[in-house]
Amino acid sequence: MDKSWMHSDRRSKAYEFEVEAFLNFAVENLLTTTHIRCPCVKCVNLKLFGVGLIRDHVYFNGIDQSYKNWTFHGEPWEATTNASRNVEEDDGHSRNSFVSEEIDMDDNDFGDFGSDPYEFANVIGDGDQPVYPGCRKYTKLSALVKLYNLKAKHGMSDVCFTELLILQGDLLPEGNTIPTSMYEAKKTLCALGLSYEKMHACPNDCILYSKEYEDSTNCPTCGISRWKEGKDSILKEGVPAKVVLYFPPIPRF
């Protein structure tokens, strides 16, 4: 199905024609005109509306161009090939990845992906694709985790990180899968909220405060406190200096 119109000028007749075709496609497949997910850039398939309101949203806001497989509107989900089998493991953690710093977003910001495996798969199903055609070292997801770790490590703002993503996308070969915004990157990572575990960690990456170190308040290796230090140099007990998110692979499968 041709989806090139999603990148067209919203004022054009071609865009108007294809929007109507898309809505007709959704109605025919979902057999409803009142409870359809809105694919505009603001709703990103999280809200249900009638056809008329969705039409207005897609005209005024534009359609979410990252929505390439219309599974919410009746298109069969196309499972991607497991490209990660050809991806070299990076220290054994390309699948069992840690992301430094808590993602500043509620788990429910993007809905309950765990309740419907197809919705979950629609968001992260392409995470196993190579980051660009022919790449054997990184997948979209492993590259995103690496980049997000850099953001956390160097304290990048969301604006700075978005500009970095855009630059990376321009530098990589055509057809690359790097997200083009902080929002899109967070959407992919937060979709994994079903299976991530939050762990306190030593700011110097010596240990994780789990198992035998679960009740420790100082790192046994470097001696630094587990708790965050405020601007007044007073430790904020109970507020971890560093949190990592661990994404175990089994629940994702």
Side-chain angles (χ1 to χ4, degrees):
M1 185 179 296
D2 180 26
K3 298 172 184 174
S4 60
W5 64 271
M6 296 169 67
H7 304 275
S8 301
D9 187 337
R10 300 201 302 272
R11 298 167 295 181
S12 67
K13 283 292 183 181
Y15 187 85
E16 180 180 352
F17 177 81
E18 293 296 345
V19 167
E20 292 303 318
F22 167 77
L23 292 173
N24 290 334
F25 174 81
V27 170
E28 290 174 2
N29 284 280
L30 303 178
L31 303 178
T32 179
T33 59
T34 58
H35 290 81
I36 299 175
R37 292 183 181 271
C38 179
C40 80
V41 295
K42 291 187 177 180
C43 297
V44 288
N45 290 309
L46 300 179
K47 297 180 180 179
L48 300 173
F49 298 117
V51 169
L53 191 54
I54 293 175
R55 181 185 292 110
D56 291 343
H57 279 208
V58 173
Y59 281 144
F60 291 111
N61 302 330
I63 192 166
D64 178 10
Q65 295 181 4
S66 67
Y67 182 42
K68 299 174 182 177
N69 197 352
W70 297 344
T71 51
F72 294 134
H73 299 88
E75 186 175 31
W77 179 67
E78 298 176 0
T80 57
T81 56
N82 190 3
S84 63
R85 295 190 183 191
N86 296 323
V87 176
E88 296 176 11
E89 295 295 328
D90 181 18
D91 297 329
H93 291 299
S94 79
R95 300 292 290 177
N96 302 340
S97 301
F98 289 92
V99 178
S100 299
E101 183 189 55
E102 289 190 51
I103 298 175
D104 186 19
M105 184 171 287
D106 291 336
D107 291 345
N108 295 324
D109 278 0
F110 293 103
D112 182 9
F113 291 95
S115 63
D116 187 335
Y118 290 102
E119 293 189 23
F120 178 79
N122 185 68
V123 177
I124 64 165
D126 60 345
D128 283 339
Q129 291 182 349
V131 70
Y132 60 83
C135 178
R136 298 176 61 85
K137 187 171 184 180
Y138 290 107
T139 63
K140 174 184 176 180
L141 186 58
S142 65
L144 181 55
V145 168
K146 286 279 189 181
L147 289 170
Y148 203 90
N149 269 322
L150 287 177
K151 176 189 186 303
K153 182 178 180 180
H154 299 290
M156 293 184 201
S157 67
D158 286 359
V159 173
C160 177
F161 188 63
T162 294
E163 292 184 0
L164 174 63
L165 291 174
I166 294 172
L167 177 60
Q168 288 280 354
D170 288 341
L171 292 174
L172 291 175
E174 187 175 349
N176 69 78
T177 56
I178 288 291
T180 56
S181 68
M182 182 66 195
Y183 175 80
E184 189 180 341
K186 280 187 175 181
K187 185 168 69 172
T188 300
L189 292 175
C190 286
L192 298 173
L194 171 69
S195 58
Y196 72 63
E197 300 172 21
K198 295 181 181 180
M199 296 183 181
H200 293 187
C202 169
N204 293 326
D205 298 321
C206 301
I207 64 161
L208 293 173
Y209 287 100
S210 62
K211 298 181 180 179
E212 67 267 30
Y213 303 123
E214 186 173 358
D215 297 322
S216 300
T217 56
N218 290 83
C219 174
T221 302
C222 67
I224 195 170
S225 175
R226 175 178 185 169
W227 310 122
K228 187 173 183 178
E229 187 176 285
K231 294 181 179 179
D232 53 4
S233 298
I234 298 177
L235 294 176
K236 298 180 179 180
E237 189 171 346
V239 180
K242 184 173 185 178
V243 175
V244 296
L245 305 184
Y246 169 61
F247 297 97
I250 301 303
R252 286 183 56 216
F253 297 148

